[in-house]
Amino acid sequence: MLKKSILWSILVLPTVVLAQSGKTEKEKNKINPAVDSTKVDSTKSYVLSTANVVANRTTIPSSTLRLGENLLVTPQNIQVIDQRLLNDQMILTTAEGLSRNVSGVRTITHQEEGSVGIAVRGFQASNLRNGMDVSGSFGPLREDMAFVERVEFVKGPAGFMMGNTQPGGFYNIVTKKPSGNNQRTAQMTLGSYNLLRAAVDIDQRLSTDGKFLGRFNVMGTKKGNFQQNVGHEQFVLNPSFKYNASENTNVIFEYILSQNNFEGGFSKYAYGIDGFKEVKKNFSFSDPIMDPTKSWEHNIYGTINHNFNEDWLLTAQFGYVRSEMEGASLYANYNTIALKDGANGVKKGDVTRNLSINDALNTSTVGQVFTRGKFKTGEVNHNILAGLDMGKKFYVADWSEAGSIVDPSKKLPVNADGEVIFNIYNPVYGNLTKDMLPVYDRSKSLRERGANYLSDYSYSSVHIQDEVRFLQDKLRVAAGLRYTATKKVSIANNGNEVKNEAFTPRFSVTGLLTPTFTLYALYDETFQEQVGLLLDGGTADPSYGRNREIGLKKTWFQNKLMTNLTAYHLTKTNMLTAAGVDNPGRFEQSGEATSKGIELDVNGVINKNWNVVFNYAYTDAKVTKDKDPKKIGGMLYGTARHISNAWIKYTIADGNLEGLGFSAGYEYQAKRATWPVVQDHKYLPDDLFSIDLGASYQKNNYHIALLVNNVTNRYNYVGFYPGAWRYTHYGWRAVNPQGFRLNLAYKF
């Protein structure tokens, strides 16, 4: 079993803007004054240089990305997952296959009851909410879709948006906000493993003049799991308010409370001695005696947006996220598994377990001020984006072991030290008692207990970009520059403050070959501060990323379907890796990683009957430089050489069966990297493959939908070979079991 401190370290290395789609408030009103930027009507027209482009919801980015442009003319691979697709696939959290809708993206199945891990182009993705980077060493907690309007994936460094992010890219969670449409939705979801979920979304005008708007989301979930002694209870409260002070000025305030109590969440790895899939999918190291781990999170967001005129706007926004967790999990003691039958009654697969603590606190305080506008010099049009970003992040955690499970009375099978024996091939649950568990002392503060993990860093950056447009805006050349300065304090470097700074440029060229066909080239860099204690006691150096990218974008069927074809080459320096089980909480820093590949994305509507999502990615992401020659050529942990996904929905639009729909999709990943990587075993022996089928019916205000995941019940998994961190056994996590979900919704 992986030691928890090492596992967490590997995973965690390192608003609400009201102007929509580049339009000022007056321009928005000319289009549709009642429509929010995250709910673009696909029948409305958006002026795009010389062309009148009909946009679907997945071609218009949220205003939180600051772009102010249709994605057709944005020189970057950006994919939008809207509320319609989230509902069709019945995705309830960001840990449930969200990444299947975007090329080159994988969800890292690990400790997803806490914070989700998503990899883009082989690197861990940064997590933004409403355009602000809230990534932390732990947290933010996984997002529940009860407060999510849409998710936007941005590939590459994207320094012009947020320079302190990972080179592979980031995903931006756009939260639900008041729209004033006086719409209320109640829904209930039932499913496999005793899934019970209820949610209400109320979007309402709160004043007769329409200036004061409110929205309230509440959700409660109780769910078991296909693995034994695993489950969770979660609830979300999300009130938000919008005040239209004038035609040109708006204010939004949001609060989100999310709490999740889960059982067995960090004990779900399975072991094998002769190979993968040796034990049943429902295997778990947990036990009914374990109390739930509690995690909770507070979010506060505020935004002021002002349009000076039809050409210039100013936005200021603030965010605060506080993520906490307290609990414990059962883990196998490191390399105590018996590889064969032995003396004194030892049986193959015998192992002892310990109690490991799961206490963590992560806070992110972030703020932004930016302006966007345009002016002309002669016949040349200039589009300016400039701003200031600031943030402060704090992290402390206790991942220590409280001790082994013992039975002094020896009523249960024990070894010579009195440690209770657990056999992976014949697991017995429910025989532990509280007096067998070690007593953990939480009388000391978390700061004192977690001093080795404590870090506190802040950053500030300024950026400016000018996009110059020629030939009636058909040729666009942009140049941008960001300056970022950071300060950090941790146990590393004897606790002294460490400062770093960097300039990161961005250049792009975009050509509109036709009103629906664009070609672009992009060069972008990123600078990312890293926190971590090195073996010699020093602090980790920042990481630098560099991306070169070319792409083609084309819209079809009256611009309702968009296709993206992208080729890229990016590098990341100063890679951090865990120092091993002998040095928990410490890292080694050396080397460079390179990721290159090709991506194809298809997303949108063919006609009133067909909705299509298809993507394919070839990703070659590996270590190219390192002090240890054995590591060179090793695949990055978030990599699968080939990834392909599809989702197709057909809806009957006329006749007696109007509103009846059928959907089908698949996920496929081939040549998947092991995690952690073992040099003599580059790939897992099995590909990941899953087929989903669904049906739905909508009439008037009622909607009912049924979805069956992994209809063939294929045993999908992720894992590692013996030799990873000197483990003597195979280890894996089972994923994607067969299951169903039934959703009932009513709008009133």
Side-chain angles (χ1 to χ4, degrees):
M1 181 64 183
L2 295 173
K3 277 197 174 182
K4 174 161 46 66
S5 59
I6 299 297
L7 289 175
W8 269 108
S9 301
I10 284 291
L11 271 185
V12 298
L13 286 179
T15 257
V16 207
V17 185
L18 308 180
Q20 55 178 294
S21 309
K23 307 299 179 184
T24 62
E25 188 68 26
K26 290 181 179 179
E27 290 173 309
K28 285 194 296 180
N29 292 338
K30 292 177 182 177
I31 297 172
N32 187 339
V35 177
D36 184 84
S37 62
T38 58
K39 296 184 178 180
V40 177
D41 190 332
S42 62
T43 64
K44 298 301 175 181
S45 297
Y46 287 76
V47 177
L48 175 61
S49 69
T50 59
N52 197 32
V53 175
V54 179
N56 77 72
R57 289 170 291 185
T58 58
T59 64
I60 301 294
S62 73
S63 54
T64 64
L65 287 187
R66 315 181 189 183
L67 294 175
E69 287 285 6
N70 188 299
L71 294 182
L72 178 65
V73 293
T74 301
Q76 193 135 12
N77 189 340
I78 301 175
Q79 301 298 319
V80 176
I81 304 172
D82 65 3
Q83 189 65 227
R84 171 192 55 81
L85 188 57
L86 295 173
N87 289 337
D88 285 347
Q89 296 176 351
M90 295 194 198
I91 294 175
L92 304 182
T93 74
T94 48
E96 292 188 346
L98 178 74
S99 56
R100 66 181 294 173
N101 298 296
V102 184
S103 63
V105 179
R106 289 185 68 196
T107 299
I108 308 302
T109 304
H110 180 49
Q111 296 172 339
E112 65 278 3
E113 279 79 9
S115 56
V116 64
I118 293 178
V120 179
R121 294 178 173 176
F123 299 101
Q124 183 174 347
S126 299
N127 188 181
L128 276 65
R129 288 184 183 170
N130 294 319
M132 295 180 284
D133 183 10
V134 294
S135 301
S137 296
F138 165 75
L141 301 182
R142 68 177 192 185
E143 291 87 356
D144 190 277
M145 293 306 163
F147 62 83
V148 176
E149 184 68 46
R150 55 158 52 185
V151 185
E152 299 166 324
F153 280 85
V154 178
K155 312 285 191 67
F160 73 113
M161 298 180 192
M162 181 61 64
N164 199 30
T165 57
Q166 291 275 3
F170 63 77
Y171 61 101
N172 180 37
I173 301 295
V174 182
T175 58
K176 294 179 179 178
K177 303 170 182 66
S179 66
N181 62 9
N182 286 344
Q183 181 172 288
R184 296 159 293 278
T185 303
Q187 58 181 317
M188 176 175 290
T189 305
L190 309 175
S192 299
Y193 317 111
N194 299 312
L195 168 63
L196 298 170
R197 177 184 172 96
V200 175
D201 182 354
I202 301 174
D203 192 353
Q204 188 76 34
R205 294 188 185 96
L206 300 180
S207 64
T208 55
D209 59 6
K211 288 188 174 183
F212 190 39
L213 312 176
R215 191 166 186 174
F216 181 69
N217 285 277
V218 60
M219 184 282 303
T221 296
K222 185 174 179 63
K223 182 178 181 294
N225 194 276
F226 67 96
Q227 290 181 276
Q228 291 188 253
N229 309 311
V230 175
H232 78 270
E233 296 179 352
Q234 184 173 9
F235 71 84
V236 168
L237 295 175
N238 172 214
S240 57
F241 303 94
K242 175 180 178 181
Y243 179 65
N244 297 309
S246 68
E247 183 183 22
N248 294 313
T249 304
N250 300 277
V251 179
I252 289 182
F253 173 81
E254 298 177 71
Y255 172 73
I256 303 170
L257 170 63
S258 179
Q259 180 165 323
N260 185 18
N261 301 334
F262 55 89
E263 302 167 5
F266 296 167
S267 307
K268 296 193 291 187
Y269 274 87
Y271 281 1
I273 297 172
D274 299 321
F276 294 104
K277 302 188 293 185
E278 272 197 304
V279 300
K280 295 180 180 180
K281 284 183 285 187
N282 66 352
F283 177 88
S284 169
F285 277 106
S286 191
D287 191 87
I289 197 67
M290 293 298 300
D291 292 324
T293 292
K294 299 179 181 179
S295 63
W296 62 98
E297 184 177 83
H298 299 276
N299 291 248
I300 298 175
Y301 303 106
T303 299
I304 300 176
N305 185 79
H306 177 69
N307 294 298
F308 295 103
N309 51 47
E310 293 189 356
D311 294 330
W312 288 90
L313 62 83
L314 178 71
T315 294
Q317 54 186 5
F318 165 84
Y320 175 74
V321 179
R322 182 183 180 91
S323 308
E324 298 180 72
M325 184 168 68
E326 183 178 290
S329 292
L330 290 181
Y331 282 83
N333 281 309
Y334 177 65
N335 274 353
T336 60
I337 190 167
L339 303 181
K340 59 182 179 180
D341 292 344
N344 300 319
V346 173
K347 296 181 180 179
K348 180 180 177 180
D350 282 351
V351 69
T352 61
R353 292 175 291 177
N354 67 67
L355 189 72
S356 296
I357 305 307
N358 307 326
D359 292 0
L361 168 64
N362 201 111
T363 65
S364 294
T365 307
V366 288
Q368 298 176 347
V369 178
F370 70 88
T371 185
R372 188 176 66 238
K374 57 187 178 180
F375 64 91
K376 295 185 68 172
T377 56
E379 297 299 318
V380 178
N381 294 317
H382 297 263
N383 277 52
I384 301 294
L385 174 64
L388 167 69
D389 297 304
M390 300 182 69
K392 183 177 177 62
K393 301 188 179 184
F394 174 81
Y395 165 69
V396 63
D398 181 4
W399 308 116
S400 61
E401 294 180 4
S404 294
I405 310 302
V406 297
D407 181 15
S409 68
K410 298 184 180 181
K411 294 179 180 179
L412 301 179
V414 296
N415 61 16
D417 297 322
E419 297 173 318
V420 176
I421 294 173
F422 181 85
N423 189 276
I424 64 171
Y425 300 114
N426 185 29
V428 177
Y429 302 101
N431 60 355
L432 300 182
T433 56
K434 283 290 185 181
D435 61 335
M436 298 178 186
L437 305 181
V439 178
Y440 187 70
D441 182 10
R442 284 193 171 93
S443 61
K444 296 180 180 179
S445 70
L446 181 58
R447 285 177 180 253
E448 185 175 358
R449 290 184 281 126
N452 286 340
Y453 290 93
L454 189 149
S455 64
D456 191 348
Y457 86 91
S458 60
Y459 66 88
S460 59
S461 63
V462 292
H463 63 279
I464 185 169
Q465 176 180 274
D466 183 10
E467 184 180 72
V468 183
R469 302 179 180 181
F470 307 92
L471 305 176
Q472 296 180 323
D473 290 358
K474 293 181 180 179
L475 176 63
R476 306 177 178 208
V477 180
L481 184 67
R482 176 181 286 270
Y483 168 76
T484 305
T486 64
K487 298 179 182 179
K488 61 180 178 180
V489 177
S490 68
I491 193 174
N493 203 43
N494 297 318
N496 293 316
E497 184 179 75
V498 177
K499 298 181 180 180
N500 291 296
E501 60 181 359
F503 288 93
T504 50
R506 170 185 168 89
F507 304 98
S508 67
V509 178
T510 307
L512 279 71
L513 305 182
T514 73
T516 62
F517 186 27
T518 60
L519 168 68
Y520 74 88
L522 170 68
Y523 174 84
D524 202 3
E525 293 185 4
T526 189
F527 162 79
Q528 185 184 33
E529 186 58 270
Q530 299 186 118
V531 293
L533 176 63
L534 302 181
L535 280 174
D536 62 4
T539 184
D541 293 326
S543 174
Y544 297 84
R546 183 179 298 111
N547 181 47
R548 299 174 181 88
E549 182 175 319
I550 59 173
L552 296 170
K553 297 185 179 184
K554 180 76 170 69
T555 59
W556 311 80
F557 307 109
Q558 297 181 331
N559 304 294
K560 295 179 180 180
L561 180 79
M562 176 175 280
T563 56
N564 292 257
L565 180 62
T566 307
Y568 67 90
H569 184 285
L570 65 87
T571 59
K572 179 179 180 179
T573 64
N574 294 331
M575 297 286 290
L576 277 183
T577 57
V581 294
D582 297 329
N583 298 281
R586 297 203 174 211
F587 300 90
E588 295 176 291
Q589 183 168 41
S590 64
E592 181 177 290
T594 299
S595 177
K596 54 187 177 182
I598 298 173
E599 300 166 337
L600 172 65
D601 288 274
V602 180
N603 191 349
V605 179
I606 295 177
N607 55 34
K608 62 183 180 179
N609 302 108
W610 292 95
N611 287 269
V612 177
V613 175
F614 172 80
N615 59 72
Y616 167 78
Y618 169 81
T619 307
D620 181 11
K622 59 189 177 183
V623 176
T624 50
K625 296 180 182 179
D626 199 276
K627 294 177 182 178
D628 183 356
K630 295 181 180 179
K631 294 182 180 179
I632 296 176
M635 295 176 66
L636 300 186
Y637 83 101
T639 299
R641 189 60 56 87
H642 302 279
I643 302 177
S644 178
N645 304 282
W647 182 266
I648 301 175
K649 183 176 182 180
Y650 175 79
T651 304
I652 299 174
D654 302 294
N656 295 331
L657 298 179
E658 179 182 355
L660 180 63
F662 302 93
S663 55
Y666 73 83
E667 299 179 66
Y668 178 64
Q669 300 175 12
K671 293 188 175 180
R672 298 179 295 147
T674 59
W675 182 71
V677 173
V678 177
Q679 285 300 101
D680 56 345
H681 295 286
K682 295 181 66 175
Y683 311 120
L684 290 170
D686 300 295
D687 296 339
L688 185 148
F689 183 65
S690 179
I691 297 175
D692 304 328
L693 297 175
S696 62
Y697 180 68
Q698 181 170 341
K699 186 175 180 62
N700 300 324
N701 293 333
Y702 295 90
H703 182 266
I704 181 171
L706 173 67
L707 179 66
V708 180
N709 299 110
N710 194 3
V711 294
T712 63
N713 203 26
R714 181 182 174 91
Y715 194 151
N716 289 312
Y717 66 94
V718 296
F720 58 87
Y721 284 91
W725 287 319
R726 300 193 299 276
Y727 283 102
T728 59
H729 53 80
Y730 293 81
W732 68 93
R733 278 284 315 276
V735 297
N736 274 353
Q738 184 186 76
F740 80 92
R741 287 180 178 177
L742 176 67
N743 182 262
L744 305 168
Y746 175 67
K747 293 184 179 181
F748 56 97

